[in-house]
């Protein structure tokens, strides 16, 4: 998926949810300039993808997939594996992703 395809996807989801650009920015906690990724200006980081998913009431794995993020920020394929597992429900995928991210955050804090 190209940046433009992802931008179109976010715009479509935002509009279907009847959320303005400003409302999305506020609820995702992402500044308007940074959110320009919706318009194809920049590709959002994993953290921003998580915030956008939450603000748009989507699962993080689906947002990662639509953004073309096949691996987590640490190079792990775990987020993609969770997102593409057909035996898991959307809620199970979201829960596993949250647990995985919490473990990664915890490991990062202990390394520092």
């Amino acid at each position: 998926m190209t940046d433009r395809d992802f931008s179109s996807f976010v715009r479509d989801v935002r509009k279907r949810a009847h959320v303005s650009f400003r409302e999305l920015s506020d609820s995702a906690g992402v500044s308007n300039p940074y959110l320009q990724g919706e318009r194809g200006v920049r590709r959002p980081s994993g953290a921003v993808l998580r915030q956008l998913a939450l603000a748009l009431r989507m699962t993080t794995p689906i947002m990662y997939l639509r953004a073309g993020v096949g691996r987590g920020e640490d190079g792990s394929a775990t987020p993609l594996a969770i997102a593409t597992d057909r035996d898991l429900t959307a809620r199970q995928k979201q829960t596993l992703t949250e647990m995985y991210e919490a473990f990664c955050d915890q490991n990062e804090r202990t390394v520092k």
Side-chain angles (χ1 to χ4, degrees), residues 59-95:
T59 65
T60 303
I62 297 300
M63 185 63 79
Y64 276 31
L65 271 180
R66 294 306 301 250
V69 177
R71 296 185 179 276
E73 293 173 8
D74 62 351
S76 170
T78 303
L80 180 62
I82 293 169
T84 58
D85 191 312
R86 293 182 179 176
D87 293 330
L88 298 173
T89 66
R91 181 67 192 133
Q92 289 168 334
K93 290 177 182 183
Q94 184 69 30
T95 301

Side-chain angles (χ1 to χ4, degrees), residues 4-108:
R4 185 170 299 291
D5 293 336
F6 176 69
S7 300
S8 296
F9 166 72
V10 172
R11 184 173 33 261
D12 291 346
V13 171
R14 180 180 59 77
K15 286 183 178 182
R16 275 187 270 133
H18 303 289
V19 175
S20 72
F21 190 77
R22 178 171 291 238
E23 289 170 328
L24 179 58
S25 173
D26 291 345
S27 63
V30 179
S31 69
N32 278 337
Y34 193 89
L35 195 55
Q36 295 299 313
E38 179 188 311
R39 296 186 183 132
V41 175
R42 95 169 36 172
R43 176 169 259 166
S45 67
V48 170
L49 290 173
R50 286 189 296 275
Q51 291 167 258
L52 287 173
L54 181 64
L56 292 170
R57 297 180 184 192
M58 299 179 62
T59 65
T60 303
I62 297 300
M63 185 63 79
Y64 276 31
L65 271 180
R66 294 306 301 250
V69 177
R71 296 185 179 276
E73 293 173 8
D74 62 351
S76 170
T78 303
L80 180 62
I82 293 169
T84 58
D85 191 312
R86 293 182 179 176
D87 293 330
L88 298 173
T89 66
R91 181 67 192 133
Q92 289 168 334
K93 290 177 182 183
Q94 184 69 30
T95 301
L96 281 172
T97 299
E98 289 169 3
M99 289 172 46
Y100 174 75
E101 291 169 355
F103 285 133
C104 289
D105 290 344
Q106 181 181 27
N107 290 344
E108 188 175 299

